PDB file of all heavy atoms in Angstrom:
ATOM      1  N   GLY D 148     -82.035 -31.684 -57.452  1.00 79.00           N
ATOM      2  CA  GLY D 148     -81.699 -30.237 -57.642  1.00 79.00           C
ATOM      3  C   GLY D 148     -81.426 -29.865 -59.041  1.00 79.00           C
ATOM      4  O   GLY D 148     -81.684 -28.751 -59.521  1.00 79.00           O
ATOM      5  N   TYR D 185     -81.670 -39.704 -57.881  1.00 92.00           N
ATOM      6  CA  TYR D 185     -82.857 -40.462 -58.314  1.00 92.00           C
ATOM      7  C   TYR D 185     -82.543 -41.199 -59.593  1.00 92.00           C
ATOM      8  O   TYR D 185     -81.940 -40.722 -60.508  1.00 92.00           O
ATOM      9  CB  TYR D 185     -84.041 -39.540 -58.569  1.00 92.00           C
ATOM     10  CG  TYR D 185     -84.739 -39.148 -57.247  1.00 92.00           C
ATOM     11  CD1 TYR D 185     -84.558 -37.871 -56.682  1.00 92.00           C
ATOM     12  CD2 TYR D 185     -85.565 -40.021 -56.623  1.00 92.00           C
ATOM     13  CE1 TYR D 185     -85.206 -37.572 -55.488  1.00 92.00           C
ATOM     14  CE2 TYR D 185     -86.169 -39.726 -55.425  1.00 92.00           C
ATOM     15  CZ  TYR D 185     -86.013 -38.470 -54.869  1.00 92.00           C
ATOM     16  OH  TYR D 185     -86.627 -38.138 -53.701  1.00 92.00           O
TER      17      TYR D 185
ATOM     18  P    DT G 213     -81.267 -32.069 -54.063  1.00 59.48           P
ATOM     19  OP1  DT G 213     -80.931 -33.346 -54.761  1.00 59.48           O
ATOM     20  OP2  DT G 213     -81.552 -30.882 -54.804  1.00 59.48           O
ATOM     21  O5'  DT G 213     -82.491 -32.334 -53.121  1.00 59.48           O
ATOM     22  C5'  DT G 213     -82.435 -33.419 -52.165  1.00 59.48           C
ATOM     23  C4'  DT G 213     -83.486 -33.248 -51.116  1.00 59.48           C
ATOM     24  O4'  DT G 213     -83.347 -32.007 -50.461  1.00 59.48           O
ATOM     25  C3'  DT G 213     -84.898 -33.322 -51.617  1.00 59.48           C
ATOM     26  O3'  DT G 213     -85.415 -34.603 -51.338  1.00 59.48           O
ATOM     27  C2'  DT G 213     -85.655 -32.199 -50.893  1.00 59.48           C
ATOM     28  C1'  DT G 213     -84.653 -31.774 -49.863  1.00 59.48           C
ATOM     29  N1   DT G 213     -84.748 -30.334 -49.480  1.00 59.48           N
ATOM     30  C2   DT G 213     -85.118 -30.051 -48.198  1.00 59.48           C
ATOM     31  O2   DT G 213     -85.421 -30.884 -47.369  1.00 59.48           O
ATOM     32  N3   DT G 213     -85.197 -28.701 -47.960  1.00 59.48           N
ATOM     33  C4   DT G 213     -84.848 -27.617 -48.784  1.00 59.48           C
ATOM     34  O4   DT G 213     -84.892 -26.484 -48.424  1.00 59.48           O
ATOM     35  C5   DT G 213     -84.416 -28.035 -50.105  1.00 59.48           C
ATOM     36  C7   DT G 213     -84.024 -27.003 -51.102  1.00 59.48           C
ATOM     37  C6   DT G 213     -84.366 -29.364 -50.381  1.00 59.48           C
ATOM     38  P    DT G 214     -86.975 -35.033 -51.685  1.00 59.48           P
ATOM     39  OP1  DT G 214     -86.981 -36.490 -51.838  1.00 59.48           O
ATOM     40  OP2  DT G 214     -87.460 -34.109 -52.690  1.00 59.48           O
ATOM     41  O5'  DT G 214     -87.667 -34.672 -50.281  1.00 59.48           O
ATOM     42  C5'  DT G 214     -87.101 -35.177 -49.062  1.00 59.48           C
ATOM     43  C4'  DT G 214     -87.858 -34.677 -47.895  1.00 59.48           C
ATOM     44  O4'  DT G 214     -87.691 -33.248 -47.786  1.00 59.48           O
ATOM     45  C3'  DT G 214     -89.376 -34.914 -47.958  1.00 59.48           C
ATOM     46  O3'  DT G 214     -89.742 -35.539 -46.709  1.00 59.48           O
ATOM     47  C2'  DT G 214     -89.991 -33.524 -48.093  1.00 59.48           C
ATOM     48  C1'  DT G 214     -88.939 -32.598 -47.497  1.00 59.48           C
ATOM     49  N1   DT G 214     -88.838 -31.268 -48.056  1.00 59.48           N
ATOM     50  C2   DT G 214     -88.995 -30.133 -47.194  1.00 59.48           C
ATOM     51  O2   DT G 214     -89.255 -30.274 -46.015  1.00 59.48           O
ATOM     52  N3   DT G 214     -88.815 -28.954 -47.791  1.00 59.48           N
ATOM     53  C4   DT G 214     -88.476 -28.640 -49.102  1.00 59.48           C
ATOM     54  O4   DT G 214     -88.369 -27.547 -49.537  1.00 59.48           O
ATOM     55  C5   DT G 214     -88.345 -29.835 -49.978  1.00 59.48           C
ATOM     56  C7   DT G 214     -88.027 -29.661 -51.385  1.00 59.48           C
ATOM     57  C6   DT G 214     -88.509 -31.051 -49.419  1.00 59.48           C
TER      58       DT G 214
END
Side-chain angles (χ1 to χ4, degrees):
Chain D
Y185 280 103

